[in-house]
Amino acid sequence: KMPSPILASELKFKEDYNIVFVGGPCANSLVEEFEEFPKCMDWPLRAGEAMIKFAKNGENIAMLIAGTNAEDTKMATEFIKNGKYKGIKGTYVKIMDKEAEAIVPSFGDVDISDYPYPFIRDGKFQNMLLVVGDEAKGEDTIGTLDIATNLMSIARTSVEAVNETELLEVSEVIEDEIPLGNNLADSNFF
């Protein structure tokens, strides 16, 4: 089941979840609780730039999708939604002019090339939340819904692919000979 996006103030026990944060630390103070994520006062990017960054969250993972302003955050959510992350490896990806550059290579557990893992595995959501800041602009909320829609589409596609594989395996197991050239009523096939 796809989790509904929640406000940061509604999140209890953040370490219990794989989290996708949409919007930066100025709109979502919960982002500042992660050592790996930037602080509002020390935001490292300029207008026209955004980031996708991963952090450890207890036994789980947190992913930050944020821009310098709401339009930049929208650019980053569209980057994910449109699958432009494919082929990029890194735990910190900087997006400028809809192009991406890996700033920090993978730290071993997970990076952008693994997306949608750890949020979806085998077509199922993995104990995840989508979190938007209490001070978020409308674009952040829309971006969160875009990510939710994207994850739902990926989960549905994964389930369909698994079901097709299961159907193929079942059809390969059934190997009865069907008598051709005779009247079916004349055979003991049925």
Side-chain angles (χ1 to χ4, degrees):
K1 179 182 170 195
M2 175 69 206
S4 296
I6 64 169
L7 293 172
S9 61
E10 298 173 310
L11 178 58
K12 308 292 182 233
F13 310 110
K14 69 178 173 32
E15 295 83 12
D16 291 346
Y17 301 96
N18 289 305
I19 301 173
V20 176
F21 290 105
V22 178
C26 298
N28 187 343
S29 60
L30 192 56
V31 169
E32 292 194 328
E33 293 183 18
F34 290 84
E35 183 179 320
E36 297 93 338
F37 292 159
K39 310 304 180 235
C40 183
M41 298 304 293
D42 298 323
W43 184 252
L45 303 178
R46 296 175 295 186
E49 297 178 339
M51 72 169 60
I52 299 167
K53 195 166 187 178
F54 288 84
K56 292 183 186 252
N57 183 29
E59 296 292 317
N60 295 299
I61 298 292
M63 179 171 85
L64 173 64
I65 303 172
T68 301
N69 55 46
E71 292 168 354
D72 298 335
T73 298
K74 184 176 184 220
M75 175 178 61
T77 59
E78 288 177 354
F79 184 86
I80 292 286
K81 182 175 113 177
N82 295 329
K84 294 189 176 187
Y85 59 87
K86 294 177 182 173
I88 300 171
K89 287 193 154 295
T91 57
Y92 175 15
V93 176
K94 181 177 171 183
I95 303 164
M96 323 147 275
D97 300 320
K98 300 183 183 180
E99 296 294 321
E101 172 187 2
I103 303 298
V104 176
S106 177
F107 58 70
D109 291 339
V110 67
D111 69 28
I112 190 70
S113 68
D114 298 312
Y115 184 82
Y117 176 83
F119 310 107
I120 295 175
R121 186 179 322 151
D122 298 326
K124 295 185 179 149
F125 290 95
Q126 299 296 307
N127 195 36
M128 70 148 306
L129 292 175
L130 291 155
V131 180
V132 67
D134 292 34
E135 304 299 321
K137 303 259 187 208
E139 289 90 343
D140 290 357
T141 304
I142 291 168
T144 303
L145 294 174
D146 283 346
I147 297 298
T149 303
N150 175 255
L151 287 168
M152 183 62 86
S153 174
I154 292 169
R156 185 175 29 251
T157 302
S158 297
V159 169
E160 288 171 0
V162 168
N163 289 341
E164 284 178 20
T165 302
E166 289 172 1
L167 288 174
L168 289 175
E169 291 171 3
V170 169
S171 67
E172 290 173 7
V173 172
I174 301 171
E175 293 184 10
D176 287 333
E177 290 186 24
I178 299 174
L180 299 177
N182 298 331
N183 288 328
L184 288 177
D186 293 340
S187 70
N188 62 358
F189 183 72
F190 292 104

